Amino acid sequence: AMTYAYDPSDPAVFQASDENGGNGTNGYNGLAAEAEPGSRQDILTFLSAPVEEETYIKGTLSAQLEVSSDCEDTCFLVRIYVVKDGVAYNLREDITSLSYQLGDYTPGEQVTLEFETGPVVCKLNPGDYLRVDVSSSAAGMYSIHTNVAGNQWEISQPVVAQNTVYTGSSFIRYCTENLDA
């Protein structure tokens, strides 16, 4: 289990999104590079093993996270990147809240959240790998969650959440194919 403090008064900002406006893209100039892992305590980073042969990711990316929080509501964000020559480029992301997926939530309860992105096609060369960041915010892209249950626009007193991700039972899923076959 990995726990981080999510403070709505100091939300995570993803470099490529902040600098270039949305989903790690740089307008018509293509993908923008993302910050190094470990740049903030409230962004957990996970890395896959490098691929050994040319591989294509095709279709939607999905993730399942086992999580808990000490608050009755909070949100979780999953960002999936391809890392080429040590530089991370955002492929897709998804965000959800405990209340959106589960309705009522009891603080401390370990639950499963499902994530699904839009479709993508991406070529991985030998040595490339995937990076997954898990956070509870992406300022400038999504509304800041207050960690309080209810209509977020009506909450006047946000609180700090201690959010936990259980790594042994969390995973991402994607389809690969060899386009030469």
Side-chain angles (χ1 to χ4, degrees), residues 126-145:
D128 293 348
Y129 57 94
L130 296 180
R131 169 179 154 184
V132 178
D133 284 351
V134 175
S135 184
S136 290
S137 59
M141 294 186 62
Y142 301 104
S143 299
I144 304 302
H145 200 288

PDB file of all heavy atoms in Angstrom, residues 126-145:
ATOM      1  N   PRO A 126      11.761  -1.188 -29.000  1.00  0.00           N
ATOM      2  CA  PRO A 126      12.518  -1.870 -27.946  1.00  0.00           C
ATOM      3  C   PRO A 126      13.150  -0.853 -26.999  1.00  0.00           C
ATOM      4  O   PRO A 126      13.751   0.135 -27.433  1.00  0.00           O
ATOM      5  CB  PRO A 126      13.575  -2.651 -28.740  1.00  0.00           C
ATOM      6  CG  PRO A 126      12.908  -2.925 -30.058  1.00  0.00           C
ATOM      7  CD  PRO A 126      12.111  -1.665 -30.343  1.00  0.00           C
ATOM      8  N   GLY A 127      12.988  -1.095 -25.709  1.00  0.00           N
ATOM      9  CA  GLY A 127      13.508  -0.191 -24.694  1.00  0.00           C
ATOM     10  C   GLY A 127      12.487   0.800 -24.170  1.00  0.00           C
ATOM     11  O   GLY A 127      12.655   1.351 -23.089  1.00  0.00           O
ATOM     12  N   ASP A 128      11.422   1.081 -24.948  1.00  0.00           N
ATOM     13  CA  ASP A 128      10.353   1.956 -24.460  1.00  0.00           C
ATOM     14  C   ASP A 128       9.583   1.230 -23.362  1.00  0.00           C
ATOM     15  O   ASP A 128       9.562  -0.002 -23.303  1.00  0.00           O
ATOM     16  CB  ASP A 128       9.374   2.315 -25.582  1.00  0.00           C
ATOM     17  CG  ASP A 128       9.978   3.177 -26.674  1.00  0.00           C
ATOM     18  OD1 ASP A 128      11.095   3.705 -26.492  1.00  0.00           O
ATOM     19  OD2 ASP A 128       9.323   3.321 -27.728  1.00  0.00           O
ATOM     20  N   TYR A 129       8.945   1.993 -22.496  1.00  0.00           N
ATOM     21  CA  TYR A 129       8.137   1.386 -21.443  1.00  0.00           C
ATOM     22  C   TYR A 129       6.982   2.311 -21.090  1.00  0.00           C
ATOM     23  O   TYR A 129       6.897   3.440 -21.572  1.00  0.00           O
ATOM     24  CB  TYR A 129       8.985   1.050 -20.212  1.00  0.00           C
ATOM     25  CG  TYR A 129       9.735   2.211 -19.609  1.00  0.00           C
ATOM     26  CD1 TYR A 129       9.198   2.947 -18.551  1.00  0.00           C
ATOM     27  CD2 TYR A 129      10.995   2.574 -20.089  1.00  0.00           C
ATOM     28  CE1 TYR A 129       9.889   4.005 -17.989  1.00  0.00           C
ATOM     29  CE2 TYR A 129      11.691   3.630 -19.537  1.00  0.00           C
ATOM     30  CZ  TYR A 129      11.136   4.343 -18.490  1.00  0.00           C
ATOM     31  OH  TYR A 129      11.831   5.394 -17.939  1.00  0.00           O
ATOM     32  N   LEU A 130       6.077   1.806 -20.257  1.00  0.00           N
ATOM     33  CA  LEU A 130       4.925   2.586 -19.824  1.00  0.00           C
ATOM     34  C   LEU A 130       5.162   3.132 -18.425  1.00  0.00           C
ATOM     35  O   LEU A 130       5.842   2.506 -17.605  1.00  0.00           O
ATOM     36  CB  LEU A 130       3.654   1.737 -19.829  1.00  0.00           C
ATOM     37  CG  LEU A 130       3.204   1.230 -21.190  1.00  0.00           C
ATOM     38  CD1 LEU A 130       1.933   0.403 -21.048  1.00  0.00           C
ATOM     39  CD2 LEU A 130       2.993   2.366 -22.173  1.00  0.00           C
ATOM     40  N   ARG A 131       4.599   4.290 -18.178  1.00  0.00           N
ATOM     41  CA  ARG A 131       4.610   4.927 -16.858  1.00  0.00           C
ATOM     42  C   ARG A 131       3.164   5.244 -16.511  1.00  0.00           C
ATOM     43  O   ARG A 131       2.407   5.705 -17.362  1.00  0.00           O
ATOM     44  CB  ARG A 131       5.440   6.202 -16.910  1.00  0.00           C
ATOM     45  CG  ARG A 131       5.305   7.090 -15.691  1.00  0.00           C
ATOM     46  CD  ARG A 131       6.196   8.311 -15.825  1.00  0.00           C
ATOM     47  NE  ARG A 131       5.689   9.429 -15.058  1.00  0.00           N
ATOM     48  CZ  ARG A 131       6.229  10.633 -15.070  1.00  0.00           C
ATOM     49  NH1 ARG A 131       7.299  10.882 -15.809  1.00  0.00           N
ATOM     50  NH2 ARG A 131       5.702  11.600 -14.343  1.00  0.00           N
ATOM     51  N   VAL A 132       2.790   4.986 -15.280  1.00  0.00           N
ATOM     52  CA  VAL A 132       1.448   5.312 -14.797  1.00  0.00           C
ATOM     53  C   VAL A 132       1.591   6.200 -13.579  1.00  0.00           C
ATOM     54  O   VAL A 132       2.297   5.850 -12.625  1.00  0.00           O
ATOM     55  CB  VAL A 132       0.655   4.030 -14.429  1.00  0.00           C
ATOM     56  CG1 VAL A 132      -0.716   4.400 -13.885  1.00  0.00           C
ATOM     57  CG2 VAL A 132       0.534   3.107 -15.641  1.00  0.00           C
ATOM     58  N   ASP A 133       0.957   7.364 -13.615  1.00  0.00           N
ATOM     59  CA  ASP A 133       0.900   8.252 -12.460  1.00  0.00           C
ATOM     60  C   ASP A 133      -0.494   8.181 -11.872  1.00  0.00           C
ATOM     61  O   ASP A 133      -1.486   8.204 -12.610  1.00  0.00           O
ATOM     62  CB  ASP A 133       1.188   9.708 -12.846  1.00  0.00           C
ATOM     63  CG  ASP A 133       2.657   9.987 -13.106  1.00  0.00           C
ATOM     64  OD1 ASP A 133       3.502   9.114 -12.834  1.00  0.00           O
ATOM     65  OD2 ASP A 133       2.954  11.103 -13.579  1.00  0.00           O
ATOM     66  N   VAL A 134      -0.573   8.097 -10.561  1.00  0.00           N
ATOM     67  CA  VAL A 134      -1.844   8.128  -9.845  1.00  0.00           C
ATOM     68  C   VAL A 134      -1.806   9.331  -8.919  1.00  0.00           C
ATOM     69  O   VAL A 134      -0.832   9.525  -8.184  1.00  0.00           O
ATOM     70  CB  VAL A 134      -2.075   6.837  -9.036  1.00  0.00           C
ATOM     71  CG1 VAL A 134      -3.349   6.932  -8.204  1.00  0.00           C
ATOM     72  CG2 VAL A 134      -2.115   5.625  -9.953  1.00  0.00           C
ATOM     73  N   SER A 135      -2.853  10.136  -8.976  1.00  0.00           N
ATOM     74  CA  SER A 135      -2.949  11.327  -8.152  1.00  0.00           C
ATOM     75  C   SER A 135      -4.424  11.554  -7.825  1.00  0.00           C
ATOM     76  O   SER A 135      -5.279  10.728  -8.169  1.00  0.00           O
ATOM     77  CB  SER A 135      -2.358  12.526  -8.902  1.00  0.00           C
ATOM     78  OG  SER A 135      -2.351  13.668  -8.076  1.00  0.00           O
ATOM     79  N   SER A 136      -4.711  12.687  -7.205  1.00  0.00           N
ATOM     80  CA  SER A 136      -6.097  13.041  -6.921  1.00  0.00           C
ATOM     81  C   SER A 136      -6.465  14.385  -7.523  1.00  0.00           C
ATOM     82  O   SER A 136      -7.530  14.925  -7.235  1.00  0.00           O
ATOM     83  CB  SER A 136      -6.346  13.070  -5.407  1.00  0.00           C
ATOM     84  OG  SER A 136      -6.296  11.750  -4.894  1.00  0.00           O
ATOM     85  N   SER A 137      -5.590  14.919  -8.360  1.00  0.00           N
ATOM     86  CA  SER A 137      -5.888  16.206  -8.974  1.00  0.00           C
ATOM     87  C   SER A 137      -5.014  16.428 -10.195  1.00  0.00           C
ATOM     88  O   SER A 137      -3.971  15.793 -10.345  1.00  0.00           O
ATOM     89  CB  SER A 137      -5.674  17.345  -7.976  1.00  0.00           C
ATOM     90  OG  SER A 137      -4.343  17.346  -7.511  1.00  0.00           O
ATOM     91  N   ALA A 138      -5.465  17.343 -11.030  1.00  0.00           N
ATOM     92  CA  ALA A 138      -4.701  17.836 -12.176  1.00  0.00           C
ATOM     93  C   ALA A 138      -5.213  19.249 -12.420  1.00  0.00           C
ATOM     94  O   ALA A 138      -6.096  19.477 -13.243  1.00  0.00           O
ATOM     95  CB  ALA A 138      -4.891  16.950 -13.400  1.00  0.00           C
ATOM     96  N   ALA A 139      -4.673  20.186 -11.642  1.00  0.00           N
ATOM     97  CA  ALA A 139      -5.137  21.574 -11.708  1.00  0.00           C
ATOM     98  C   ALA A 139      -5.043  22.096 -13.135  1.00  0.00           C
ATOM     99  O   ALA A 139      -4.088  21.824 -13.849  1.00  0.00           O
ATOM    100  CB  ALA A 139      -4.310  22.441 -10.770  1.00  0.00           C
ATOM    101  N   GLY A 140      -6.058  22.825 -13.526  1.00  0.00           N
ATOM    102  CA  GLY A 140      -6.110  23.376 -14.866  1.00  0.00           C
ATOM    103  C   GLY A 140      -6.819  22.470 -15.852  1.00  0.00           C
ATOM    104  O   GLY A 140      -7.230  22.921 -16.917  1.00  0.00           O
ATOM    105  N   MET A 141      -6.948  21.200 -15.519  1.00  0.00           N
ATOM    106  CA  MET A 141      -7.632  20.254 -16.398  1.00  0.00           C
ATOM    107  C   MET A 141      -8.958  19.809 -15.809  1.00  0.00           C
ATOM    108  O   MET A 141      -9.907  19.583 -16.549  1.00  0.00           O
ATOM    109  CB  MET A 141      -6.751  19.037 -16.649  1.00  0.00           C
ATOM    110  CG  MET A 141      -5.517  19.362 -17.433  1.00  0.00           C
ATOM    111  SD  MET A 141      -4.605  17.886 -17.864  1.00  0.00           S
ATOM    112  CE  MET A 141      -5.789  17.044 -18.878  1.00  0.00           C
ATOM    113  N   TYR A 142      -8.999  19.604 -14.500  1.00  0.00           N
ATOM    114  CA  TYR A 142     -10.194  19.113 -13.829  1.00  0.00           C
ATOM    115  C   TYR A 142     -10.494  19.989 -12.632  1.00  0.00           C
ATOM    116  O   TYR A 142      -9.596  20.586 -12.047  1.00  0.00           O
ATOM    117  CB  TYR A 142      -9.997  17.660 -13.358  1.00  0.00           C
ATOM    118  CG  TYR A 142      -9.691  16.703 -14.480  1.00  0.00           C
ATOM    119  CD1 TYR A 142      -8.395  16.236 -14.686  1.00  0.00           C
ATOM    120  CD2 TYR A 142     -10.688  16.280 -15.349  1.00  0.00           C
ATOM    121  CE1 TYR A 142      -8.111  15.359 -15.727  1.00  0.00           C
ATOM    122  CE2 TYR A 142     -10.409  15.411 -16.393  1.00  0.00           C
ATOM    123  CZ  TYR A 142      -9.119  14.948 -16.574  1.00  0.00           C
ATOM    124  OH  TYR A 142      -8.844  14.094 -17.600  1.00  0.00           O
ATOM    125  N   SER A 143     -11.755  20.014 -12.235  1.00  0.00           N
ATOM    126  CA  SER A 143     -12.140  20.738 -11.027  1.00  0.00           C
ATOM    127  C   SER A 143     -11.411  20.142  -9.830  1.00  0.00           C
ATOM    128  O   SER A 143     -11.181  18.939  -9.767  1.00  0.00           O
ATOM    129  CB  SER A 143     -13.649  20.623 -10.794  1.00  0.00           C
ATOM    130  OG  SER A 143     -14.357  21.186 -11.860  1.00  0.00           O
ATOM    131  N   ILE A 144     -11.087  20.979  -8.890  1.00  0.00           N
ATOM    132  CA  ILE A 144     -10.390  20.533  -7.684  1.00  0.00           C
ATOM    133  C   ILE A 144     -11.416  19.906  -6.736  1.00  0.00           C
ATOM    134  O   ILE A 144     -12.396  20.534  -6.366  1.00  0.00           O
ATOM    135  CB  ILE A 144      -9.686  21.719  -6.989  1.00  0.00           C
ATOM    136  CG1 ILE A 144      -8.734  22.424  -7.962  1.00  0.00           C
ATOM    137  CG2 ILE A 144      -8.973  21.263  -5.731  1.00  0.00           C
ATOM    138  CD1 ILE A 144      -7.670  21.546  -8.559  1.00  0.00           C
ATOM    139  N   HIS A 145     -11.193  18.654  -6.372  1.00  0.00           N
ATOM    140  CA  HIS A 145     -12.092  17.945  -5.459  1.00  0.00           C
ATOM    141  C   HIS A 145     -11.788  18.386  -4.037  1.00  0.00           C
ATOM    142  O   HIS A 145     -10.637  18.501  -3.638  1.00  0.00           O
ATOM    143  CB  HIS A 145     -11.927  16.436  -5.604  1.00  0.00           C
ATOM    144  CG  HIS A 145     -13.096  15.670  -5.096  1.00  0.00           C
ATOM    145  ND1 HIS A 145     -13.374  15.550  -3.751  1.00  0.00           N
ATOM    146  CD2 HIS A 145     -14.074  15.007  -5.741  1.00  0.00           C
ATOM    147  CE1 HIS A 145     -14.466  14.832  -3.596  1.00  0.00           C
ATOM    148  NE2 HIS A 145     -14.909  14.486  -4.794  1.00  0.00           N
TER     149      HIS A 145
END
